[in-house]
Amino acid sequence: MSRPAPLLFALVTVGALLAGCGSGAADPASPFPERPADIDVSTVDMCRALTAGEQAELGVEPGEVLTGELSNGPTRGCGWSNYDDGYNYGVQTIADGAVVAVGSVDSTVDVLDGYGVVVSTAHGESVPGCSIYVDVSDAQAIRVQAQATKDDATGIPSFETVCGRARSLASKAIRNLGAAAP
């Protein structure tokens, strides 16, 4: 049985991040490449980001549907936890495009599976987390998150390890949500 508290914490964290990201001025040039395809995540079940087989690989049970309110509107998500290896995972909708996360603290712009992304890290001294904002359309983004909730054999996991898990989840989410979108 999964506990929602760490995932709800992540939803609140992203809300705070997004509240401070936008400058209010429109940026005429996108920092992202042209998308392979737009993915409409406005109605798709976010728990479809992982197949049953992929959930088994991660050692998680079916996802827990999450809803909330961010500073820019409602968000829908899905969260999974593996209490044996100490990782939480989440995928959620962001009402604005991923460009709102560009320039946030501890972030970089990159490309994943042809989509522009913003990779953001936080809490490296305690529970390292990696968030990847995927540019799925002009008006929407998905935020993919992996967070280490306990030390591994070498101590606190590195951002490289946590972001590797987030990148893997983001690739799966792009593929699975793109196939599930209307």
Side-chain angles (χ1 to χ4, degrees):
M1 182 57 98
S2 62
R3 296 178 300 204
L7 295 168
L8 292 176
F9 172 76
L11 284 173
V12 171
T13 300
V14 75
L17 174 66
L18 288 177
C21 285
S23 65
D27 184 11
S30 173
F32 305 126
E34 186 173 333
R35 295 173 208 97
D38 282 5
I39 301 173
D40 181 0
V41 294
S42 61
T43 59
V44 70
D45 176 1
M46 298 309 288
C47 289
R48 294 187 69 181
L50 287 175
T51 65
E54 291 163 345
Q55 291 171 35
E57 287 174 15
L58 289 174
V60 297
E61 294 184 19
E64 180 179 343
V65 175
L66 303 168
T67 59
E69 194 69 31
L70 300 176
S71 62
N72 60 346
T75 183
R76 295 175 306 98
C78 190
W80 302 266
S81 293
N82 181 325
Y83 295 105
D84 293 330
D85 74 0
Y87 279 89
N88 288 329
Y89 304 94
V91 177
Q92 78 181 110
T93 59
I94 304 294
D96 295 324
V99 72
V100 299
V102 173
S104 61
V105 177
D106 294 326
S107 71
T108 57
V109 175
D110 202 353
V111 177
L112 180 67
D113 298 344
Y115 288 85
V117 299
V118 178
V119 180
S120 178
T121 57
H123 311 296
E125 299 295 319
S126 55
V127 287
C130 184
S131 297
I132 299 178
Y133 298 81
V134 183
D135 179 47
V136 297
S137 74
D138 288 339
Q140 300 174 322
I142 58 172
R143 176 186 166 267
V144 177
Q145 176 258 344
Q147 184 172 32
T149 60
K150 69 179 188 179
D151 293 354
D152 62 18
T154 62
I156 296 173
S158 68
F159 282 133
E160 182 178 313
T161 298
V162 178
C163 285
R165 288 176 179 250
R167 284 182 175 279
S168 176
L169 177 58
S171 287
K172 291 172 174 78
I174 289 168
R175 181 185 63 246
N176 296 335
L177 294 175

